[in-house]
Coordinates of all heavy atoms in Angstrom, one line a residue:
M1 N -32.5 245.9 57.9 CA -31.6 244.9 57.3 C -32.4 243.8 56.7 O -33.2 243.2 57.3 CB -30.7 244.4 58.4 CG -29.7 243.4 57.9 SD -28.4 243.0 59.0 CE -29.1 241.5 59.7
S2 N -32.2 243.6 55.4 CA -32.9 242.5 54.8 C -32.0 241.2 54.7 O -30.8 241.3 54.8 CB -33.2 242.9 53.3 OG -32.1 243.1 52.6
L3 N -32.7 240.1 54.7 CA -32.0 238.8 54.6 C -31.7 238.5 53.2 O -32.5 238.8 52.3 CB -32.8 237.7 55.2 CG -33.1 237.9 56.7 CD1 -34.1 236.8 57.2 CD2 -31.8 237.8 57.5
S4 N -30.5 237.9 52.9 CA -30.2 237.5 51.6 C -29.7 236.0 51.7 O -29.3 235.6 52.7 CB -29.1 238.4 51.0 OG -27.9 238.3 51.8
P5 N -29.8 235.3 50.6 CA -29.4 233.9 50.6 C -27.9 233.8 51.0 O -27.1 234.6 50.7 CB -29.6 233.5 49.2 CG -30.6 234.4 48.6 CD -30.3 235.7 49.3
I6 N -27.7 232.7 51.8 CA -26.3 232.5 52.3 C -25.3 232.4 51.2 O -24.1 232.8 51.3 CB -26.3 231.3 53.2 CG1 -24.9 231.2 53.9 CG2 -26.5 230.0 52.4 CD1 -24.7 232.2 55.0
C7 N -25.7 231.8 50.0 CA -24.7 231.6 48.9 C -24.2 233.0 48.4 O -23.1 233.1 48.1 CB -25.3 230.8 47.8 SG -26.8 231.5 47.0
E8 N -25.1 234.0 48.4 CA -24.7 235.3 48.0 C -23.7 235.9 48.9 O -22.6 236.5 48.5 CB -25.9 236.3 47.8 CG -26.8 236.0 46.7 CD -28.0 236.9 46.7 OE1 -28.0 238.0 47.3 OE2 -29.0 236.5 46.0
E9 N -23.9 235.8 50.2 CA -23.0 236.3 51.2 C -21.7 235.5 51.2 O -20.6 236.1 51.3 CB -23.6 236.2 52.6 CG -24.8 237.1 52.8 CD -24.4 238.6 52.6 OE1 -23.4 239.1 53.0 OE2 -25.2 239.3 51.9
A10 N -21.7 234.2 51.0 CA -20.5 233.4 51.0 C -19.7 233.8 49.8 O -18.5 233.9 49.9 CB -20.9 231.9 50.9
E11 N -20.3 234.1 48.6 CA -19.6 234.6 47.4 C -18.9 235.9 47.7 O -17.7 236.1 47.3 CB -20.5 234.7 46.2 CG -20.9 233.4 45.7 CD -21.9 233.5 44.5 OE1 -22.1 234.6 44.0 OE2 -22.5 232.5 44.1
K12 N -19.6 236.8 48.4 CA -19.0 238.1 48.7 C -17.8 237.9 49.6 O -16.7 238.6 49.4 CB -20.0 239.0 49.4 CG -21.1 239.5 48.5 CD -22.1 240.3 49.3 CE -23.3 240.7 48.4 NZ -24.3 241.4 49.2
V13 N -17.9 237.1 50.7 CA -16.8 236.9 51.6 C -15.6 236.2 50.9 O -14.5 236.7 51.0 CB -17.2 236.0 52.8 CG1 -16.1 235.6 53.6 CG2 -18.3 236.8 53.6
C14 N -15.9 235.2 50.1 CA -14.8 234.6 49.3 C -14.1 235.6 48.4 O -12.9 235.5 48.2 CB -15.4 233.4 48.5 SG -15.8 232.0 49.5
G15 N -14.9 236.4 47.8 CA -14.3 237.5 46.9 C -13.4 238.4 47.6 O -12.3 238.7 47.2
R16 N -13.8 238.8 48.8 CA -13.0 239.7 49.6 C -11.7 239.0 50.1 O -10.7 239.7 50.2 CB -13.8 240.2 50.8 CG -14.8 241.3 50.5 CD -15.3 242.0 51.7 NE -15.9 241.2 52.7 CZ -17.2 241.0 52.8 NH1 -18.0 241.6 51.9 NH2 -17.7 240.1 53.7
L17 N -11.8 237.8 50.3 CA -10.6 237.0 50.8 C -9.8 236.5 49.6 O -8.7 236.0 49.9 CB -11.1 235.8 51.6 CG -11.8 236.1 53.0 CD1 -12.3 234.9 53.6 CD2 -10.8 236.9 53.9
G18 N -10.3 236.7 48.4 CA -9.5 236.2 47.3 C -9.6 234.7 47.0 O -8.8 234.1 46.3
L19 N -10.7 234.1 47.6 CA -10.9 232.7 47.4 C -11.9 232.5 46.2 O -12.9 233.2 46.1 CB -11.5 232.1 48.6 CG -10.7 232.2 49.9 CD1 -11.4 231.7 51.1 CD2 -9.3 231.5 49.7
T20 N -11.6 231.5 45.4 CA -12.5 231.2 44.3 C -12.7 229.7 44.2 O -11.9 229.0 44.8 CB -12.0 231.8 42.9 OG1 -10.8 231.0 42.6 CG2 -11.7 233.2 43.0
S21 N -13.5 229.3 43.3 CA -13.7 227.9 43.1 C -12.4 227.3 42.4 O -12.2 226.1 42.4 CB -14.9 227.6 42.2 OG -14.8 228.2 40.9
A22 N -11.6 228.2 41.9 CA -10.3 227.7 41.2 C -9.5 227.0 42.2 O -8.7 226.1 41.9 CB -9.6 228.9 40.6
L23 N -9.5 227.3 43.5 CA -8.7 226.7 44.5 C -9.1 225.2 44.7 O -8.2 224.4 44.8 CB -8.8 227.4 45.8 CG -8.1 228.8 45.8 CD1 -8.3 229.5 47.2 CD2 -6.6 228.7 45.5
S24 N -10.4 225.0 44.8 CA -10.8 223.6 44.9 C -10.5 222.8 43.6 O -10.2 221.6 43.7 CB -12.3 223.5 45.3 OG -13.1 224.0 44.3
T25 N -10.7 223.5 42.5 CA -10.4 222.8 41.2 C -8.9 222.5 41.2 O -8.5 221.4 40.7 CB -10.8 223.7 40.0 OG1 -12.1 224.0 40.1 CG2 -10.4 223.0 38.7
L26 N -8.0 223.4 41.6 CA -6.6 223.2 41.7 C -6.3 222.0 42.6 O -5.5 221.1 42.2 CB -5.9 224.4 42.1 CG -4.4 224.3 42.3 CD1 -3.7 223.9 40.9 CD2 -3.8 225.6 42.8
D27 N -6.9 221.9 43.7 CA -6.7 220.8 44.6 C -7.0 219.5 44.0 O -6.3 218.5 44.1 CB -7.4 221.0 45.9 CG -7.0 220.1 47.0 OD1 -5.8 219.9 47.2 OD2 -7.9 219.4 47.6
R28 N -8.2 219.4 43.3 CA -8.6 218.2 42.7 C -7.7 217.8 41.5 O -7.4 216.7 41.3 CB -10.1 218.3 42.2 CG -11.1 218.2 43.3 CD -12.5 218.1 42.8 NE -12.9 219.0 41.8 CZ -13.4 220.2 42.0 NH1 -13.5 220.7 43.3 NH2 -13.7 221.0 41.0
A29 N -7.3 218.9 40.7 CA -6.4 218.6 39.6 C -5.0 218.1 40.1 O -4.5 217.2 39.5 CB -6.2 220.0 38.8
W30 N -4.5 218.6 41.2 CA -3.3 218.2 41.8 C -3.4 216.7 42.1 O -2.5 215.9 41.8 CB -2.9 219.0 43.0 CG -1.7 218.6 43.7 CD1 -1.5 217.8 44.8 CD2 -0.3 218.8 43.2 NE1 -0.2 217.6 45.1 CE2 0.6 218.2 44.1 CE3 0.2 219.5 42.1 CZ2 1.9 218.2 44.0 CZ3 1.6 219.5 42.0 CH2 2.4 218.9 42.9
E31 N -4.4 216.3 42.8 CA -4.6 214.9 43.2 C -4.7 214.0 41.9 O -4.1 212.9 41.9 CB -5.9 214.7 44.0 CG -5.8 215.3 45.4 CD -7.1 215.2 46.2 OE1 -7.9 214.4 45.8 OE2 -7.2 215.9 47.2
S32 N -5.4 214.5 40.9 CA -5.5 213.7 39.7 C -4.2 213.6 39.0 O -3.8 212.5 38.5 CB -6.5 214.4 38.8 OG -6.5 213.9 37.5
E33 N -3.4 214.6 38.9 CA -2.2 214.6 38.1 C -1.1 213.9 38.9 O -0.2 213.3 38.3 CB -1.7 216.0 37.7 CG -2.7 216.7 36.8 CD -3.0 216.0 35.5 OE1 -2.1 215.3 35.1 OE2 -4.0 216.3 35.0
M34 N -1.1 213.9 40.2 CA 0.0 213.3 41.0 C -0.2 211.8 41.2 O 0.8 211.1 41.5 CB 0.1 214.0 42.3 CG 0.8 215.4 42.2 SD 2.4 215.4 41.5 CE 3.3 214.5 42.7
G35 N -1.4 211.4 41.1 CA -1.6 209.9 41.4 C -1.2 209.5 42.7 O -1.4 210.2 43.7
G36 N -0.4 208.4 42.8 CA 0.1 207.9 44.1 C 1.0 208.9 44.8 O 1.2 208.8 46.0
W37 N 1.7 209.7 44.1 CA 2.6 210.7 44.7 C 1.9 211.8 45.5 O 2.5 212.5 46.2 CB 3.6 211.3 43.7 CG 4.6 210.3 43.2 CD1 4.6 209.6 42.1 CD2 5.9 210.1 43.9 NE1 5.7 208.8 42.0 CE2 6.5 209.1 43.1 CE3 6.5 210.5 45.0 CZ2 7.8 208.6 43.4 CZ3 7.7 210.0 45.4 CH2 8.4 209.1 44.6
G38 N 0.6 211.9 45.2 CA -0.2 213.0 45.8 C -0.2 213.0 47.3 O -0.3 214.0 48.0
R39 N -0.1 211.8 47.9 CA -0.1 211.7 49.4 C 1.3 212.2 50.0 O 1.4 212.5 51.1 CB -0.4 210.3 49.9 CG 0.5 209.3 49.4 CD 0.0 207.9 49.9 NE 0.7 206.8 49.3 CZ 2.0 206.5 49.3 NH1 2.8 207.3 50.0 NH2 2.4 205.4 48.7
L40 N 2.3 212.2 49.1 CA 3.6 212.6 49.6 C 4.0 214.1 49.3 O 5.0 214.6 49.7 CB 4.7 211.7 48.9 CG 4.6 210.3 49.1 CD1 5.6 209.5 48.3 CD2 4.7 209.9 50.6
A41 N 3.1 214.7 48.4 CA 3.4 216.1 48.0 C 2.0 216.9 48.1 O 1.0 216.4 47.6 CB 3.9 216.2 46.6
K42 N 2.1 218.0 48.8 CA 0.8 218.8 48.8 C 1.1 220.3 48.5 O 2.2 220.8 48.8 CB 0.2 218.7 50.2 CG 1.0 219.2 51.3 CD 0.3 219.0 52.7 CE 1.2 219.5 53.8 NZ 0.7 219.4 55.1
I43 N 0.1 220.9 48.0 CA 0.1 222.3 47.7 C 0.0 223.1 49.0 O -0.9 222.8 49.8 CB -1.0 222.8 46.8 CG1 -0.8 222.1 45.4 CG2 -1.0 224.3 46.6 CD1 -2.0 222.2 44.5
V44 N 0.9 224.0 49.3 CA 0.9 224.8 50.5 C 0.7 226.3 50.3 O 0.3 227.0 51.2 CB 2.1 224.6 51.4 CG1 2.2 223.1 51.9 CG2 3.4 224.9 50.7
A45 N 0.9 226.7 49.0 CA 0.8 228.2 48.8 C 0.6 228.4 47.3 O 1.1 227.6 46.4 CB 1.9 229.0 49.3
L46 N -0.1 229.5 46.9 CA -0.2 229.9 45.6 C -0.2 231.4 45.6 O -1.1 232.0 46.3 CB -1.6 229.4 45.0 CG -1.9 229.9 43.6 CD1 -0.9 229.4 42.6 CD2 -3.3 229.4 43.2
D47 N 0.7 232.0 44.9 CA 0.8 233.5 44.9 C 1.2 234.0 43.5 O 2.3 233.7 43.0 CB 1.8 234.0 45.9 CG 1.9 235.5 46.0 OD1 0.8 236.1 45.9 OD2 3.0 236.0 46.3
K48 N 0.4 234.7 42.9 CA 0.7 235.3 41.6 C 1.3 234.4 40.6 O 2.3 234.6 39.9 CB 1.6 236.5 41.8 CG 1.0 237.6 42.6 CD 2.0 238.7 42.8 CE 1.3 239.7 43.8 NZ 2.3 240.7 44.3
G49 N 0.6 233.2 40.4 CA 1.0 232.2 39.4 C 2.2 231.3 39.9 O 2.6 230.5 39.1
A50 N 2.6 231.5 41.1 CA 3.7 230.6 41.7 C 3.1 229.6 42.6 O 2.4 230.0 43.6 CB 4.7 231.4 42.3
L51 N 3.2 228.4 42.3 CA 2.7 227.3 43.2 C 3.8 226.8 44.1 O 4.9 226.5 43.6 CB 2.1 226.2 42.3 CG 1.3 225.1 42.9 CD1 0.0 225.6 43.5 CD2 1.0 224.0 41.8
V52 N 3.5 226.6 45.4 CA 4.5 226.1 46.3 C 4.0 224.8 46.8 O 2.9 224.6 47.3 CB 4.8 227.0 47.5 CG1 5.8 226.4 48.4 CG2 5.2 228.4 47.0
V53 N 4.9 223.7 46.6 CA 4.5 222.4 46.9 C 5.5 221.9 48.0 O 6.7 222.1 47.9 CB 4.6 221.4 45.7 CG1 4.4 220.0 46.1 CG2 3.6 221.9 44.6
E54 N 4.9 221.3 49.0 CA 5.7 220.7 50.1 C 5.7 219.2 50.0 O 4.7 218.6 49.8 CB 5.2 221.2 51.4 CG 6.2 221.5 52.5 CD 5.6 222.2 53.7 OE1 4.8 221.6 54.4 OE2 6.0 223.4 53.8
V55 N 6.9 218.6 50.2 CA 7.0 217.1 50.1 C 7.6 216.6 51.4 O 8.2 217.4 52.2 CB 7.9 216.7 48.9 CG1 7.3 217.1 47.6 CG2 9.3 217.3 49.1
N56 N 7.4 215.3 51.7 CA 7.9 214.8 53.0 C 9.2 214.0 52.8 O 9.6 213.4 53.8 CB 6.8 214.0 53.6 CG 6.4 212.8 52.8 OD1 6.9 212.5 51.8 ND2 5.4 212.1 53.3
S57 N 9.8 213.9 51.7 CA 11.0 213.1 51.5 C 11.8 213.6 50.3 O 11.3 214.3 49.4 CB 10.7 211.7 51.3 OG 10.0 211.4 50.1
S58 N 13.1 213.2 50.3 CA 13.9 213.6 49.1 C 13.5 212.9 47.8 O 13.5 213.6 46.8 CB 15.4 213.2 49.5 OG 15.9 214.0 50.5
P59 N 13.1 211.6 47.9 CA 12.6 211.0 46.6 C 11.4 211.7 46.1 O 11.3 211.9 44.9 CB 12.3 209.6 47.0 CG 13.1 209.3 48.2 CD 13.2 210.6 48.9
A60 N 10.5 212.2 46.9 CA 9.3 212.9 46.5 C 9.7 214.2 45.9 O 9.1 214.7 44.9 CB 8.3 213.1 47.6
M61 N 10.7 214.9 46.5 CA 11.1 216.2 46.0 C 11.7 216.0 44.6 O 11.5 216.8 43.7 CB 12.2 216.8 46.9 CG 12.6 218.2 46.5 SD 13.6 218.9 47.8 CE 13.7 220.6 47.2
Q62 N 12.5 215.0 44.4 CA 13.1 214.7 43.1 C 12.0 214.4 42.1 O 12.1 214.9 41.0 CB 14.1 213.5 43.2 CG 14.8 213.3 41.9 CD 15.9 212.2 42.1 OE1 16.0 211.5 43.1 NE2 16.6 212.0 41.0
E63 N 11.0 213.6 42.4 CA 10.0 213.3 41.5 C 9.2 214.5 41.0 O 9.0 214.7 39.8 CB 9.0 212.3 42.1 CG 7.8 212.0 41.3 CD 8.1 211.1 40.1 OE1 9.2 210.5 40.0 OE2 7.3 211.1 39.1
V64 N 8.8 215.4 42.0 CA 8.1 216.6 41.6 C 9.0 217.5 40.9 O 8.5 218.1 39.9 CB 7.5 217.3 42.9 CG1 6.8 218.6 42.6 CG2 6.5 216.3 43.6
S65 N 10.2 217.7 41.3 CA 11.1 218.6 40.6 C 11.4 218.2 39.1 O 11.4 219.0 38.2 CB 12.5 218.6 41.3 OG 12.3 219.2 42.6
L66 N 11.5 216.9 38.9 CA 11.7 216.4 37.6 C 10.5 216.5 36.7 O 10.6 216.7 35.5 CB 12.1 214.9 37.6 CG 13.5 214.6 38.1 CD1 13.7 213.1 38.3 CD2 14.6 215.2 37.2
R67 N 9.3 216.5 37.3 CA 8.1 216.6 36.5 C 7.5 218.1 36.6 O 6.4 218.3 36.1 CB 7.0 215.7 37.1 CG 7.4 214.2 37.0 CD 6.3 213.3 37.5 NE 5.0 213.7 37.0 CZ 3.9 213.3 37.6 NH1 3.9 212.6 38.7 NH2 2.7 213.6 37.0
R68 N 8.3 219.0 37.1 CA 7.8 220.4 37.3 C 7.1 221.0 36.0 O 6.0 221.5 36.1 CB 9.0 221.3 37.7 CG 8.7 222.7 38.0 CD 10.0 223.5 38.3 NE 11.0 222.7 39.0 CZ 11.4 223.0 40.2 NH1 11.0 224.0 40.8 NH2 12.3 222.2 40.8
K69 N 7.8 221.0 34.9 CA 7.3 221.6 33.7 C 6.0 220.9 33.2 O 5.0 221.5 32.8 CB 8.3 221.7 32.6 CG 9.4 222.7 32.8 CD 10.3 222.8 31.6 CE 11.4 223.8 31.9 NZ 12.4 223.8 30.8
E70 N 6.1 219.6 33.3 CA 4.9 218.8 32.9 C 3.7 219.0 33.8 O 2.6 219.2 33.3 CB 5.3 217.3 32.9 CG 4.1 216.4 32.6 CD 4.4 214.9 33.0 OE1 5.6 214.6 33.3 OE2 3.5 214.1 32.8
L71 N 4.0 219.1 35.1 CA 2.9 219.4 36.1 C 2.3 220.7 35.8 O 1.0 220.8 35.9 CB 3.4 219.3 37.5 CG 3.7 217.9 38.0 CD1 4.5 217.9 39.3 CD2 2.3 217.1 38.2
I72 N 3.1 221.7 35.6 CA 2.5 223.1 35.3 C 1.6 223.0 34.1 O 0.5 223.5 34.1 CB 3.6 224.1 35.1 CG1 4.4 224.3 36.4 CG2 3.1 225.4 34.6 CD1 5.6 225.2 36.3
R73 N 2.1 222.4 33.0 CA 1.3 222.3 31.8 C 0.0 221.5 32.1 O -1.1 221.9 31.7 CB 2.1 221.6 30.7 CG 1.4 221.4 29.4 CD 2.3 220.7 28.4 NE 2.8 219.4 28.8 CZ 2.1 218.3 28.8 NH1 0.8 218.3 28.5 NH2 2.6 217.2 29.2
R74 N 0.1 220.4 32.8 CA -1.1 219.5 33.0 C -2.1 220.2 34.0 O -3.3 220.1 33.8 CB -0.7 218.2 33.5 CG 0.1 217.4 32.3 CD 0.5 216.0 32.8 NE -0.7 215.2 33.0 CZ -0.8 213.9 32.8 NH1 0.3 213.3 32.5 NH2 -1.9 213.3 33.1
L75 N -1.6 220.9 35.0 CA -2.5 221.5 35.9 C -3.2 222.7 35.2 O -4.4 222.9 35.4 CB -1.7 222.1 37.1 CG -1.2 221.0 38.1 CD1 -0.2 221.7 39.1 CD2 -2.3 220.3 38.8
N76 N -2.5 223.4 34.4 CA -3.1 224.5 33.7 C -4.2 224.1 32.7 O -5.2 224.9 32.4 CB -2.1 225.4 32.9 CG -1.4 226.4 33.8 OD1 -2.0 226.9 34.7 ND2 -0.2 226.6 33.6
R77 N -4.2 222.8 32.2 CA -5.2 222.3 31.3 C -6.6 222.3 32.0 O -7.6 222.2 31.4 CB -4.9 220.9 30.8 CG -3.8 221.0 29.8 CD -3.7 219.7 29.0 NE -3.7 218.5 30.0 CZ -3.4 217.3 29.7 NH1 -2.9 217.0 28.5 NH2 -3.4 216.3 30.5
H78 N -6.6 222.3 33.3 CA -7.9 222.2 34.1 C -8.6 223.5 34.2 O -9.7 223.6 34.7 CB -7.6 221.6 35.5 CG -7.2 220.2 35.5 ND1 -8.1 219.2 35.7 CD2 -6.0 219.6 35.3 CE1 -7.4 218.0 35.6 NE2 -6.1 218.3 35.4
F79 N -8.0 224.6 33.7 CA -8.6 225.9 33.8 C -8.7 226.6 32.4 O -7.9 226.3 31.5 CB -7.7 226.8 34.7 CG -7.5 226.2 36.0 CD1 -6.4 225.4 36.3 CD2 -8.4 226.4 37.0 CE1 -6.2 224.9 37.6 CE2 -8.2 225.9 38.3 CZ -7.1 225.1 38.5
Q80 N -9.7 227.4 32.3 CA -10.0 228.1 31.1 C -8.8 229.1 30.7 O -8.3 229.1 29.6 CB -11.2 229.0 31.1 CG -12.4 228.4 30.5 CD -13.6 229.4 30.5 OE1 -13.7 230.2 31.4 NE2 -14.5 229.2 29.6
T81 N -8.3 229.8 31.7 CA -7.2 230.6 31.6 C -6.0 230.1 32.4 O -6.1 230.1 33.7 CB -7.5 232.1 32.1 OG1 -8.7 232.5 31.4 CG2 -6.4 233.0 31.8
P82 N -5.0 229.6 31.8 CA -3.8 229.1 32.5 C -3.2 230.2 33.4 O -3.0 231.3 33.0 CB -2.8 228.7 31.5 CG -3.6 228.5 30.2 CD -4.8 229.5 30.3
F83 N -2.9 229.9 34.7 CA -2.4 230.9 35.6 C -1.2 230.4 36.4 O -0.6 231.2 37.1 CB -3.5 231.4 36.5 CG -4.0 230.3 37.5 CD1 -3.4 230.2 38.8 CD2 -5.0 229.5 37.1 CE1 -3.9 229.3 39.7 CE2 -5.4 228.5 38.0 CZ -4.9 228.4 39.3
I84 N -0.8 229.2 36.3 CA 0.4 228.7 37.0 C 1.6 228.8 36.1 O 1.6 228.3 35.0 CB 0.2 227.2 37.4 CG1 -1.1 227.1 38.3 CG2 1.4 226.7 38.2 CD1 -1.5 225.6 38.6
H85 N 2.6 229.6 36.6 CA 3.7 229.9 35.8 C 5.0 229.3 36.4 O 6.0 229.2 35.7 CB 3.9 231.4 35.5 CG 2.7 232.0 35.0 ND1 2.2 231.8 33.7 CD2 1.8 232.9 35.5 CE1 1.1 232.4 33.5 NE2 0.8 233.1 34.5
H86 N 5.0 229.0 37.6 CA 6.2 228.6 38.3 C 5.8 227.6 39.4 O 4.7 227.8 40.1 CB 6.9 229.8 38.9 CG 8.2 229.4 39.5 ND1 9.3 229.0 38.8 CD2 8.6 229.4 40.8 CE1 10.3 228.8 39.7 NE2 9.9 229.0 40.9
L87 N 6.6 226.6 39.7 CA 6.3 225.6 40.7 C 7.6 225.5 41.6 O 8.7 225.2 41.0 CB 5.9 224.3 40.1 CG 5.4 223.2 41.1 CD1 4.3 222.4 40.3 CD2 6.5 222.3 41.6
T88 N 7.5 225.7 42.8 CA 8.6 225.6 43.8 C 8.3 224.4 44.7 O 7.2 224.2 45.2 CB 8.7 226.9 44.6 OG1 8.9 228.0 43.8 CG2 9.9 226.7 45.6
V89 N 9.4 223.6 44.9 CA 9.3 222.4 45.7 C 10.2 222.6 46.9 O 11.3 223.0 46.8 CB 9.7 221.1 45.0 CG1 9.4 219.9 45.8 CG2 9.0 221.0 43.6
R90 N 9.6 222.3 48.1 CA 10.5 222.3 49.3 C 10.1 221.1 50.2 O 9.0 220.6 50.1 CB 10.3 223.6 50.1 CG 8.9 223.8 50.6 CD 8.8 225.2 51.3 NE 7.5 225.3 52.0 CZ 6.9 226.4 52.2 NH1 7.5 227.6 51.9 NH2 5.7 226.4 52.9
I91 N 11.0 220.7 51.1 CA 10.8 219.6 52.0 C 10.1 220.2 53.2 O 10.5 221.2 53.8 CB 12.1 218.9 52.3 CG1 12.7 218.2 51.1 CG2 11.9 217.9 53.5 CD1 13.9 217.4 51.3
S92 N 9.1 219.5 53.7 CA 8.3 219.8 54.8 C 9.2 219.8 56.1 O 10.0 219.0 56.3 CB 7.1 218.9 55.0 OG 6.5 219.1 56.2
E93 N 9.0 220.8 56.9 CA 9.7 220.9 58.2 C 9.1 219.9 59.2 O 9.8 219.5 60.1 CB 9.6 222.3 58.8 CG 10.3 223.3 58.0 CD 10.2 224.7 58.5 OE1 9.6 224.9 59.7 OE2 10.6 225.7 57.9
N94 N 7.9 219.4 58.9 CA 7.2 218.5 59.8 C 7.6 217.0 59.5 O 7.1 216.1 60.1 CB 5.7 218.6 59.7 CG 5.3 220.0 60.1 OD1 5.9 220.6 61.0 ND2 4.2 220.6 59.6
G95 N 8.3 216.8 58.4 CA 8.8 215.5 58.1 C 7.7 214.8 57.4 O 7.3 213.9 57.1

């Protein structure tokens, strides 16, 4: 068994798990685009172009819902190939 650099192995594992640098870019883009509301709304899932956002209050849900189309457009600008097509907002069960 030969040794290989950890970065190569990490890339292989991330590839098998479906993780890419796009996830960290998406997280940073979300924080950037949400501004002060970012602490009240967080991304909890991403599946086939559908982004699921969880909020902790009704006002936060209304804010994100009203800005849904704008957020999708602005988040997609952070990527070479736009991949977010739908944004779902739900209230957190944890309050």
